Amino acid sequence: MNSNKTIKWVEAGKIFSRDPKGDFQCPECELHKLQSEDRYSEANPRELQRTIFCPGCGARYTLRLRRYDK
């Protein structure tokens, strides 16, 4: 992964860490908007894993977040 794409993934991570419906173009293919999917941990209800992915090329990036609503 080149540094320009890495920077874009970090930017996308910042956006999606605040809003699961973030609006960001895929850093890999630059053709599709990224989407996200959340998975909650049964072992730790304060933890959330958010996967950001491109529906076109399949690129993925995963965030582990702390839930403050519990």
Side-chain angles (χ1 to χ4, degrees), residues 36-54:
S36 71
E37 179 179 279
D38 291 346
R39 290 201 176 147
Y40 299 94
S41 171
E42 290 183 23
N44 184 356
R46 292 190 166 261
E47 188 175 277
L48 159 67
Q49 181 175 306
R50 179 166 294 152
T51 302
I52 305 165
F53 63 94
C54 175

Side-chain angles (χ1 to χ4, degrees), residues 1 3 6 11 14 19 22-24 27-28 33 35-38 40-42 46 52-53 62 69-70:
M1 192 180 309
S3 63
T6 302
E11 290 173 15
K14 288 178 183 178
D19 181 6
D23 184 17
F24 204 88
E28 299 297 324
K33 300 266 184 187
Q35 297 177 5
S36 71
E37 179 179 279
D38 291 346
Y40 299 94
S41 171
E42 290 183 23
R46 292 190 166 261
I52 305 165
F53 63 94
T62 301
D69 61 337
K70 290 276 177 186

Side-chain angles (χ1 to χ4, degrees), residues 51-69:
T51 302
I52 305 165
F53 63 94
C54 175
C57 73
R60 316 185 147 274
Y61 187 84
T62 301
L63 305 168
R64 190 165 298 226
L65 305 169
R66 181 169 215 83
R67 293 177 62 192
Y68 292 102
D69 61 337

